[in-house]
Amino acid sequence: TMLELVRVAENGSMLPDFLANHASADAEGEAGFMAICQPDSCKFYNFSYSPFVRYCVEIENVHIANTNTTNGSYAFSDYNSCIQAGLDNPATCDCDNLIDRVFGHESGDLLSRFCPAYKDPKQRFYACKCDPESLNISATYTGMMPVPLPIAGSLFFQDIPPYSMGKYPPSTPFGHWYHTPAATACRYNQRIGGDDGCNW
C-alpha cells in the first residue's frame, strides 16, 4: 500500500525531522490541522520556517482487527500520539492523547473508557490509557485515525466543554492522521514485510 504523507517539522527545526516515531497526515488531514493551529496554541511549530515535507511511503499490507481509532479499516493499527520534547531528545509514540482523540471525533463511550479525566476541558493533553495489546500492535505497524470536519480541535483549544465530552456537530469525512513506528522502519536495502520485520 502506498501513502502520500505530509509532515511539518516540530520543535523549531529548520530541517526535515522525518517520519520515524512521528505523526504525519494526508494532505487534507494536515491542511485541516494547520488551518486552526495558531502560534499561541501550537508552540511546537515555528510558523516562519518549519518545513513542510511530502513523503511517499510504502507500508506492508496487513489485516489488523479490533482497532479503536481506524473507523473499521483493517490496514492500520490504532493511531498513537507522538511527542519529541526538544530536538536533542528522541521522539516517542504512546497511547493516543485526549486532544488527538477529539480531533478524530472519538465517541464519548471511548473517551470515558480510555481517558478517565476527559470531562475536564483543561486536561487537553491528558495521557489516556490504551489496552496493552493495542499498544504492542501500534508499536509495530503504521497507525491511522480519520480526522473529519469540522476540525474539533479548533474549539477544544478554546476549552469548550461539549467537545471534551465527545459531543460533536455532524461529521463529514475529510482527512487522516498517521504514526509510523521507528522500530519497524525499513532501511534502503530491506524488503517490506520480509523476515527482518520491517514493514514501512
Side-chain angles (χ1 to χ4, degrees):
T1 302
M2 295 297 299
L3 302 173
E4 186 175 303
L5 305 180
V6 178
R7 173 165 173 79
V8 184
E10 297 182 11
N11 294 298
S13 176
M14 298 178 67
L15 298 172
D17 54 6
F18 305 106
L19 294 179
N21 276 0
H22 278 149
S24 59
D26 55 19
E28 293 82 1
E30 190 65 35
F33 179 66
M34 296 308 294
I36 60 91
C37 192
Q38 302 300 319
D40 61 339
S41 59
C42 294
K43 295 181 172 31
F44 38 85
Y45 296 127
N46 184 302
F47 285 79
S48 298
Y49 54 72
S50 293
F52 284 71
V53 181
R54 183 180 68 173
Y55 299 90
C56 293
V57 180
E58 183 179 2
I59 65 171
E60 181 182 1
N61 291 321
V62 294
H63 186 281
I64 301 172
N66 301 318
T67 55
N68 296 300
T69 74
T70 64
N71 199 29
S73 172
Y74 294 109
F76 301 94
S77 70
D78 281 321
Y79 175 82
N80 277 185
S81 300
C82 300
I83 297 174
Q84 184 174 8
L87 293 175
D88 296 330
N89 297 307
T92 59
C93 299
D94 206 341
C95 184
D96 197 6
N97 64 31
L98 177 58
I99 195 168
D100 286 354
R101 291 172 184 269
V102 172
F103 275 108
H105 289 203
E106 185 167 284
S107 70
D109 289 343
L110 289 178
L111 288 175
S112 180
R113 174 183 171 188
F114 295 116
C115 310
Y118 79 103
K119 293 183 180 180
D120 180 357
K122 295 181 180 178
Q123 296 291 324
R124 64 180 72 178
F125 293 106
Y126 179 78
C128 302
K129 306 296 183 184
C130 291
D131 297 329
E133 182 180 2
S134 171
L135 286 174
N136 288 335
I137 294 172
S138 294
T140 304
Y141 296 101
T142 297
M144 184 273 289
M145 175 181 73
V147 180
L149 294 176
I151 302 298
S154 62
L155 294 185
F156 196 60
F157 275 132
Q158 300 171 31
D159 291 335
I160 293 182
Y163 274 52
S164 63
M165 298 178 69
K167 298 177 182 178
Y168 314 99
S171 298
T172 301
F174 186 59
H176 303 82
W177 287 3
Y178 301 87
H179 85 269
T180 33
T184 53
C186 295
R187 296 187 294 272
Y188 74 95
N189 60 344
Q190 292 179 296
R191 181 173 63 85
I192 291 174
D195 294 336
D196 49 15
C198 77
N199 58 51
W200 67 276

